[in-house]
């Protein structure tokens, strides 16, 4: 015997999400194999293996062709829908799930027409390939901004949402159709990139049931298996879906520290058909994304910090790691924030100020 549950789970893509799935699979006895889509030779899969992906779309390569041809590629058909914002928004409309008002940027649409339909401030988003705020273009009537060349038919236009805050829900659906959820996460994006997350928060509890019903509807409609993330705008007590990710998600990284079953473990369990149970969440958890900064061993000296370094080359704006904290009591939270603040680049002052404002009472 191999010592495994005789299960090999291939992950299309070998970035940090694939690596963290592998990390989570190890104690379960599941052999998780993230695979670089540009590797020269295609892997040889066994018929009982399982395939998942850490990204929404992929070019045709020997590796992606081999994985795509396999019968046990979880949710395979759904990736094409999610990877194209036009199809994704159309599906959400069809299911009656609220999203930011939008339209396709059609071949003959002018800026004036789009402003007439959607208002003075409109965000254009490329149908495919955008992430971390890339592939987006603001159309502001006051500035006479123009639709970029080549964006007609290749982008959607979305009304600017004056949201109070951004929240996300990480859901899990097992092979029997049972759904499980983590508590809502509050997210801070700066320049279109997620910089920090907090969960759970008492004041988000009243939204939990509504959010769960929305994501359940979507996961059931497509008979989804595994982890799905729903990013939302919270506007005047209501939730509007911003976008859906058919995979483990950055705003769920805190579950590595704050839950007995992380989002990565949940995904591995469900796609390989292992038993799933309701994850139990402890403490107040917050995550800080490390963006474009060099590795600093002093982060490890901060009490309670749990570092995940992705071992990627450092470039401005690139996510290169994250630090999780799972804490109880304002004093402990404050102490951790004060220790980590001087160890991060200057632009993190805003991030830390946001965490303090959300987590500490005004007198602290
Ligand atoms: P991700 O890295 O999460 O995949 P992305 O680049 O694919 O992100 P979105 O999540 O659509 O793109 O947008 C990134 C951020 O831009 C959002 O989290 C939000 O802060 C802002 N944003 C997106 N759409 C709107 C909108 N309609 N109105 C106002 N702000 C928006
Ligand atoms: Mg997003």
């Amino acid at each position: 015997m191999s010592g495994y549950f005789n299960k090999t789970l291939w992950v299309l893509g070998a970035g940090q999400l694939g690596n963290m799935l592998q990390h989570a699979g190890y104690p379960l006895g599941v052999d998780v194999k993230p695979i670089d889509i540009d590797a020269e030779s295609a892997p040889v899969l066994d018929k009982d293996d399982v395939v998942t992906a850490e990204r929404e779309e992929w070019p045709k390569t020997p590796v992606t062709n081999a994985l795509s041809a396999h019968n046990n590629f979880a949710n395979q058909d759904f990736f094409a829908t999610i990877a194209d914002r036009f199809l994704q928004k159309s599906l959400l409309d069809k299911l009656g799930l609220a999203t930011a008002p939008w339209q396709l940027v059609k071949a003959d649409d002018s800026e004036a027409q789009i402003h007439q339909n959607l208002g003075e401030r409109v965000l254009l988003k490329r149908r495919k390939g955008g992430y971390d705020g890339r592939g987006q273009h603001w159309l502001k009537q006051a500035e006479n901004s123009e639709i970029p060349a080549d964006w007609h038919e290749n982008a959607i236009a979305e009304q600017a949402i004056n949201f109070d805050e951004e929240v996300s829900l990480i859901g899990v659906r097992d092979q029997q159709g049972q759904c499980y959820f983590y508590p809502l996460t509050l997210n801070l994006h700066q320049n279109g990139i997620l910089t920090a997350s907090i969960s759970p928060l008492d004041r988000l509890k009243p939204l939990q049931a509504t959010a769960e019903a929305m994501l359940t509807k979507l996961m059931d409609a497509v008979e989804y298996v595994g982890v799905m993330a729903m990013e939302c705008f919270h506007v005047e007590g209501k939730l509007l879906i911003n976008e859906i990710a058919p995979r483990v998600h950055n705003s769920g990284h805190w579950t590595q520290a704050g839950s007995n079953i992380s989002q990565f473990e949940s995904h591995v369990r469900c796609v390989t058909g292992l038993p799933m149970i309701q994850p139990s969440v402890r403490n107040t958890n917050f995550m800080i994304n490390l963006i474009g900064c060099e590795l600093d061993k002093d982060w490890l000296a901060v009490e309670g910090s749990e570092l995940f370094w992705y071992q990627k080359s450092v470039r401005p704006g690139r996510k290169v790691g994250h630090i999780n904290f799972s804490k109880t009591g304002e004093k402990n939270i404050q102490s951790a924030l004060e220790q980590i603040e001087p160890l991060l680049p200057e632009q993190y002052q805003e991030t830390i100020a946001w965490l303090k404002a959300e987590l500490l009472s005004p007198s602290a």
Side-chain angles (χ1 to χ4, degrees), residues 300-355:
L300 298 175
V302 175
E303 217 167 299
S305 81
E306 299 183 20
L307 171 69
F308 286 76
W309 183 253
Y310 306 156
Q311 310 199 18
K312 303 198 290 196
S313 56
V314 179
R315 285 202 296 266
R318 190 176 205 202
K319 290 174 183 168
V320 288
H322 69 272
I323 305 177
N324 284 329
F325 291 91
S326 183
K327 293 271 175 190
T328 48
E330 283 201 23
K331 267 208 166 115
N332 295 324
I333 294 172
Q334 186 172 11
S335 161
L337 289 171
E338 280 170 4
Q339 286 176 60
I340 198 75
E341 186 167 10
L343 303 176
L344 294 171
E346 209 182 316
Q347 66 268 26
Y348 279 89
Q349 279 175 8
E350 201 182 324
T351 322
I352 301 290
W354 179 82
L355 286 164

Side-chain angles (χ1 to χ4, degrees), residues 97-206:
L97 294 168
T99 70
W102 71 286
Q103 65 163 84
L104 179 68
V105 181
K106 292 182 286 302
D108 53 359
D109 274 335
S110 65
E111 288 79 2
Q113 272 166 322
I114 287 178
H115 286 303
Q116 197 179 359
N117 292 345
L118 296 171
E120 289 179 2
R121 291 171 61 243
V122 175
L123 187 54
L124 304 185
K125 299 180 177 182
R126 299 281 299 178
R127 287 173 63 165
K128 290 189 174 184
Y131 69 99
D132 291 347
R134 289 166 221 206
Q136 300 193 354
H137 180 85
W138 278 102
L139 215 54
K140 296 181 183 165
Q141 203 159 23
E143 296 172 13
N144 286 322
S145 31
E146 294 177 2
I147 304 169
D150 170 45
W151 281 43
H152 291 88
E153 300 290 337
N154 292 321
I156 63 161
E158 255 185 38
Q159 187 173 86
I161 302 299
N162 208 358
F163 51 79
D164 300 318
E165 57 194 11
E166 293 188 83
V167 300
S168 60
L169 184 68
I170 306 295
V172 189
R173 190 171 179 277
D174 69 18
Q175 293 185 356
Q176 290 70 45
Q178 178 72 40
C179 295
Y180 310 82
F181 297 93
Y182 293 93
L184 280 162
T185 302
L186 182 69
N187 298 312
L188 174 68
H189 292 86
Q190 293 169 281
N191 304 319
I193 307 182
L194 180 71
T195 46
S197 298
I198 305 172
S199 184
L201 275 179
D202 279 346
R203 66 178 180 76
L204 295 179
K205 277 191 187 149

Side-chain angles (χ1 to χ4, degrees), residues 31-46:
D31 188 12
V32 180
K33 293 182 190 287
I35 175 153
D36 182 348
I37 61 168
D38 293 318
E40 267 170 32
S41 57
V44 179
L45 278 65
D46 189 83

